Amino acid sequence: MRKKITIKDIANDLGIHHATVSRALRDDPRISQVTKDKIVTYAKSNGYKLNQSAVNLRNTQSNEIAVIVPNISHYTFANFVSVITDLAAKNNFIVSMFQTRENYEYEIDAVKTIMQNRVAGVIASLSLTTMDTDHFKDLLEFGIPVVFFDRVPTEINAPKVTADNHNAAYECVSILLNKGYKKIAHLTGPLHISVFNDRNNGYQKALLDNNIDFISNIVIPKEFEIQDGFEAIQKLWNVKDRPDAVLCDSFTLSAGVNKYCRNQNIKVPEDLGIIAIANDPFSALLEPPQTIMSQPIDEIANETFKMLLDNVNGKNINDIKTIKTELVLRESI
Amino acid sequence: MRKKITIKDIANDLGIHHATVSRALRDDPRISQVTKDKIVTYAKSNGYKLNQSAVNLRNTQSNEIAVIVPNISHYTFANFVSVITDLAAKNNFIVSMFQTRENYEYEIDAVKTIMQNRVAGVIASLSLTTMDTDHFKDLLEFGIPVVFFDRVPTEINAPKVTADNHNAAYECVSILLNKGYKKIAHLTGPLHISVFNDRNNGYQKALLDNNIDFISNIVIPKEFEIQDGFEAIQKLWNVKDRPDAVLCDSFTLSAGVNKYCRNQNIKVPEDLGIIAIANDPFSALLEPPQTIMSQPIDEIANETFKMLLDNVNGKNINDIKTIKTELVLRESI
DNA sequence: AGTATATTTGCACACGTGTGCATGATTTTC
DNA sequence: GAAAATCATGCACACGTGTGCAAATATACT
């Protein structure tokens, strides 16, 4: 391992001042072309690598964008992070990953670490167990811009990007009713989180508008895994007034419902209709291929990043963007 | 936004030296308990946050671990990153994400950025288009430890963690032959990458050991998406000597095969047997539920992280770990 | 030629923290 | 009660880069 050379080393070797080297390497117009060429050539042939930590200290800000998600291994978040990572790289930022595992304490730890790292900006989706959001308020007060997506807090004045959740659920229920389903259950999440609250409101509104009084809210307590969907429909199925259709708030939940139906020989869509607000390419591969209300993750990620970048660059934008969803009709309803 | 206070501010306010503050906050035994209490209390009530950039500069090393993967949105990598992120947080490291999109140029850019950031360590899986690995050699020579996983380079002397790929493929083919299949195709990746080469060798060895001379290697050119699997089997199916079974090197490829079979009413497992070396929970949800040779991602991630941590901590460990795979028998063969 | 202007480079300090060494304060020991 | 040992704190410098301002040099203009 050879010694790491610095701009001061280059300056000494070339008999000039390190400020000149710094300016030359950043292509400052004040440095003459001959000097630049000399410096750049020397730097390259001697393996000079900029020390980003020093730059970050000098700038009182790091070159990172922190992303806080509940669970990276879930397709929606994985896909989101994937898009964000590309955008960040294109804009000379690094993405730092934080995963809450739906755990409030982890979320607080993440925010603390993020502040210590003087990150340029934060993109976040709340954990299911997050009841108060003071830690995010601290973050904003500390001067770090935050953009929320998907699971956004209602009580914080910050930019937010979500799907058009109310309408998405409303549409799903309307379609189910049109197809003749009468007893529609809703597999959702904790209602203190706006995305689930909005959807549940859309669900209830659609029932109300159609004079249906069967309402069944299932709030999944911990995570959004396949097993949770399996257990939720199992409970629903074994009561007297079982549903004939179910609206699921994630692909994993609906996959769990699908699994239960196959286990129990429940015919889909005859005995039970399944529709999900999701965006998983594998929904097409289930048996039967699953009807979904698709949220365009790419668009959500793009809008989120754009707003964050604006705020990182000093513009004080506080928009709330709502992205249209799109029905993908398959064979599960 | 209030001013960010530093240890010097605390020192001034309390009439002591900033070195004492630094030591107190790091719980240095040389500082008396009374002084510590006074400092910690003051720091907390005045919202002091450590500046990690300064620490990183001082330590000539950042608190980040960089992870380079081809595509975060693929389940295998998403799951891997998810485990690594948890482990990193537990050990006070941050995970920085880099995504090559199977692109050699992006991989080089990532390595450059990583060196600039004086990252503590790197975890990497090669892109499909990576033919030479000089950039990783630079990284090692620069003093940054690297652990490779899954798609590992043969020509670099560094710690590596992979599944037992040769045996996994050998076992898959043996099982297919036992079940009576005669013409087994292999949907793999570029053979200059050891994981695919190893599997293809296992595949060929099993055929050889059973005196079968039907060999069909399909090398997918660009990515490992569902569509690529679809097109691969489409080609294979429309030649005179079509296979009666197929071994797929990823879940996405096998999902593409599954999709084609359903499109074309090819009966699985009667007309075509499908087995995949994969680890996707959704493989159980396909129709028919898919037989896989499962790679334990958690174990691979754990081993990878452990080896990296050892190397970050100065131990010079260069082991090559091979993780056993496990057959999950379902209905696609 | 002398002054005004433009171009190029240097100086000095700042960003915030950590640590080896020295110094000062307190307690122990004989 | 003085020397030794222990404990607590301070001093000064280092980590590598960027930038406002000053200074030096080169060019243009009358």
Side-chain angles (χ1 to χ4, degrees):
Chain A
M1 171 173 41
R2 61 171 179 271
K3 187 187 176 300
K4 293 171 178 115
I5 74 163
T6 70
I7 55 170
K8 280 187 185 172
D9 295 330
I10 297 179
N12 285 338
D13 295 356
L14 259 42
I16 50 179
H17 199 265
H18 79 267
T20 306
V21 178
S22 171
R23 293 199 173 96
L25 293 174
R26 322 192 93 240
D27 204 22
D28 188 306
R30 292 191 299 168
I31 305 296
S32 70
Q33 197 56 48
V34 265
T35 313
K36 272 184 193 167
D37 289 348
K38 196 170 59 180
I39 291 172
V40 169
T41 307
Y42 190 87
K44 193 159 273 176
S45 67
N46 287 74
Y48 167 76
K49 316 261 190 265
L50 176 72
N51 186 324
Q52 188 69 46
S53 296
V55 177
N56 291 347
L57 175 60
R58 173 64 227 241
N59 292 349
T60 67
Q61 183 185 93
S62 91
N63 63 330
E64 300 165 296
I65 285 177
V67 176
I68 306 178
V69 291
N71 195 327
I72 305 164
S73 66
H74 281 201
Y75 182 79
T76 305
F77 294 122
N79 196 8
F80 181 89
V81 169
S82 178
V83 176
I84 294 290
T85 303
D86 285 348
L87 291 170
K90 225 171 273 170
N91 289 276
N92 295 314
F93 285 103
I94 293 181
V95 166
S96 297
M97 282 301 322
F98 294 86
Q99 180 171 235
T100 62
R101 298 256 180 220
E102 309 291 11
N103 187 323
Y104 174 57
E105 310 297 335
Y106 287 2
E107 197 172 277
I108 287 178
D109 285 351
V111 168
K112 187 183 165 197
T113 305
I114 284 167
M115 289 200 276
Q116 288 189 349
N117 278 270
R118 305 294 195 271
V119 149
V122 176
I123 290 170
S125 191
L126 299 180
S127 124
L128 290 181
T129 56
T130 298
M131 304 298 282
D132 86 278
T133 50
D134 290 351
H135 46 309
F136 283 111
K137 287 177 190 157
D138 286 352
L139 200 49
L140 288 165
E141 210 185 324
F142 198 62
I144 298 180
V146 183
V147 179
F148 293 96
F149 76 97
D150 193 46
R151 304 206 205 140
V152 306
T154 48
E155 70 277 20
I156 294 186
N157 185 26
K160 296 163 198 171
V161 184
T162 63
D164 187 359
N165 288 305
H166 184 98
N167 276 345
Y170 189 95
E171 285 299 316
C172 285
V173 173
S174 303
I175 291 158
L176 288 170
L177 294 173
N178 270 344
K179 292 248 177 192
Y181 295 104
K182 302 267 188 253
K183 295 178 180 175
I184 303 169
H186 185 199
L187 264 54
T188 182
L191 296 181
H192 69 271
I193 294 180
S194 63
V195 47
F196 305 118
N197 193 45
D198 291 349
R199 289 180 186 174
N200 193 251
N201 285 341
Y203 159 84
Q204 297 206 25
K205 180 79 164 28
L207 296 179
L208 201 68
D209 287 356
N210 289 276
N211 302 313
I212 310 271
D213 59 0
F214 181 94
I215 288 191
S216 159
N217 303 321
I218 307 301
V219 179
I220 307 302
K222 285 182 69 185
E223 300 240 357
F224 269 35
E225 302 296 340
I226 293 175
Q227 190 58 23
D228 297 310
F230 187 95
E231 287 166 12
I233 190 68
Q234 186 172 41
K235 257 185 220 153
L236 277 178
W237 197 254
N238 291 316
V239 295
K240 182 178 63 199
D241 210 12
R242 60 167 65 141
D244 60 5
V246 56
L247 164 62
C248 301
D249 272 11
S250 85
F251 170 69
T252 39
L253 290 180
S254 69
V257 173
N258 174 284
K259 189 176 169 189
Y260 182 75
C261 292
R262 288 170 70 177
N263 268 11
Q264 302 291 313
N265 287 318
I266 299 166
K267 278 184 203 135
V268 179
E270 296 85 351
D271 300 342
L272 186 72
I274 306 176
I275 190 168
I277 303 177
N279 61 310
D280 198 294
F282 300 123
S283 56
L285 302 175
L286 293 183
E287 178 54 37
Q290 190 167 278
T291 294
I292 59 172
M293 184 63 80
S294 171
Q295 339 184 40
I297 291 283
D298 281 29
E299 202 180 336
I300 291 177
N302 273 293
E303 285 296 336
T304 303
F305 190 82
K306 213 168 77 186
M307 285 171 80
L308 184 68
L309 204 59
D310 281 345
N311 278 279
V312 167
N313 291 333
K315 295 177 203 163
N316 204 357
I317 292 169
N318 251 356
D319 296 357
I320 295 184
K321 298 250 165 146
T322 309
I323 310 293
K324 284 257 166 301
T325 58
E326 196 186 347
L327 183 73
V328 181
L329 201 59
R330 299 203 187 94
E331 296 155 37
S332 66
I333 64 169
Chain B
M1 171 173 42
R2 60 172 180 271
K3 188 189 175 298
K4 294 171 177 109
I5 75 164
T6 70
I7 54 170
K8 280 187 184 172
D9 296 328
I10 297 179
N12 285 339
D13 295 356
L14 260 40
I16 50 180
H17 199 267
H18 79 268
T20 306
V21 178
S22 172
R23 292 202 174 94
L25 293 174
R26 322 192 94 238
D27 205 21
D28 188 307
R30 292 191 297 167
I31 305 297
S32 70
Q33 198 54 50
V34 266
T35 313
K36 270 184 194 168
D37 289 349
K38 196 170 59 177
I39 291 172
V40 169
T41 307
Y42 190 87
K44 194 161 274 178
S45 67
N46 287 74
Y48 168 76
K49 317 261 190 266
L50 175 73
N51 186 323
Q52 187 70 45
S53 296
V55 177
N56 291 347
L57 176 59
R58 175 62 227 239
N59 292 348
T60 65
Q61 181 184 95
S62 90
N63 62 330
E64 301 166 295
I65 285 177
V67 176
I68 307 177
V69 292
N71 195 328
I72 305 164
S73 66
H74 281 200
Y75 182 79
T76 305
F77 294 123
N79 197 8
F80 181 88
V81 169
S82 179
V83 176
I84 293 290
T85 303
D86 285 348
L87 291 170
K90 225 171 272 168
N91 289 276
N92 295 315
F93 284 103
I94 293 181
V95 166
S96 297
M97 281 300 323
F98 294 86
Q99 181 171 235
T100 62
R101 298 256 179 218
E102 309 291 13
N103 187 323
Y104 173 58
E105 309 297 335
Y106 288 2
E107 198 173 276
I108 288 179
D109 286 350
V111 169
K112 187 184 164 194
T113 306
I114 284 167
M115 289 200 275
Q116 289 189 350
N117 278 270
R118 305 294 196 267
V119 150
V122 176
I123 291 170
S125 191
L126 298 180
S127 124
L128 289 182
T129 56
T130 298
M131 303 300 280
D132 87 278
T133 51
D134 291 350
H135 45 310
F136 283 110
K137 287 176 191 159
D138 286 353
L139 200 49
L140 289 165
E141 210 186 325
F142 197 62
I144 298 179
V146 183
V147 179
F148 293 96
F149 76 97
D150 194 47
R151 304 205 204 139
V152 306
T154 47
E155 70 277 19
I156 295 187
N157 184 27
K160 297 164 198 171
V161 183
T162 63
D164 187 359
N165 289 307
H166 184 98
N167 276 345
Y170 189 95
E171 285 300 317
C172 286
V173 173
S174 302
I175 292 156
L176 289 171
L177 293 174
N178 270 343
K179 293 247 177 191
Y181 294 104
K182 302 268 188 254
K183 296 180 182 174
I184 303 169
H186 185 199
L187 263 54
T188 182
L191 297 181
H192 69 272
I193 295 181
S194 63
V195 47
F196 305 118
N197 193 45
D198 291 349
R199 290 180 185 173
N200 194 250
N201 285 341
Y203 159 84
Q204 297 206 26
K205 179 78 162 34
L207 295 180
L208 200 67
D209 287 356
N210 289 275
N211 302 313
I212 308 274
D213 60 358
F214 181 95
I215 289 191
S216 159
N217 303 321
I218 307 301
V219 179
I220 307 303
K222 286 182 70 182
E223 301 239 355
F224 268 36
E225 302 296 341
I226 294 175
Q227 190 57 24
D228 296 311
F230 187 96
E231 288 166 12
I233 190 67
Q234 185 171 42
K235 256 185 221 156
L236 277 177
W237 197 254
N238 291 315
V239 295
K240 183 178 60 195
D241 211 12
R242 60 167 66 142
D244 59 6
V246 55
L247 164 62
C248 301
D249 272 11
S250 85
F251 171 68
T252 40
L253 289 180
S254 68
V257 173
N258 175 283
K259 189 176 168 189
Y260 182 75
C261 291
R262 289 170 68 179
N263 268 12
Q264 302 291 312
N265 288 317
I266 299 167
K267 279 184 202 136
V268 179
E270 296 84 351
D271 299 343
L272 185 72
I274 307 177
I275 191 168
I277 302 177
N279 61 311
D280 197 301
F282 302 122
S283 57
L285 302 175
L286 292 184
E287 177 55 38
Q290 191 167 277
T291 295
I292 59 172
M293 184 61 80
S294 171
Q295 344 183 38
I297 291 283
D298 281 28
E299 201 180 336
I300 291 177
N302 273 294
E303 285 297 337
T304 303
F305 189 83
K306 212 167 80 188
M307 284 171 79
L308 184 67
L309 204 59
D310 281 344
N311 278 281
V312 167
N313 291 333
K315 294 176 204 161
N316 204 357
I317 292 169
N318 252 355
D319 296 357
I320 295 184
K321 298 249 165 147
T322 308
I323 310 293
K324 283 257 164 300
T325 58
E326 195 186 349
L327 184 72
V328 181
L329 202 57
R330 299 204 187 94
E331 296 155 38
S332 65
I333 64 169

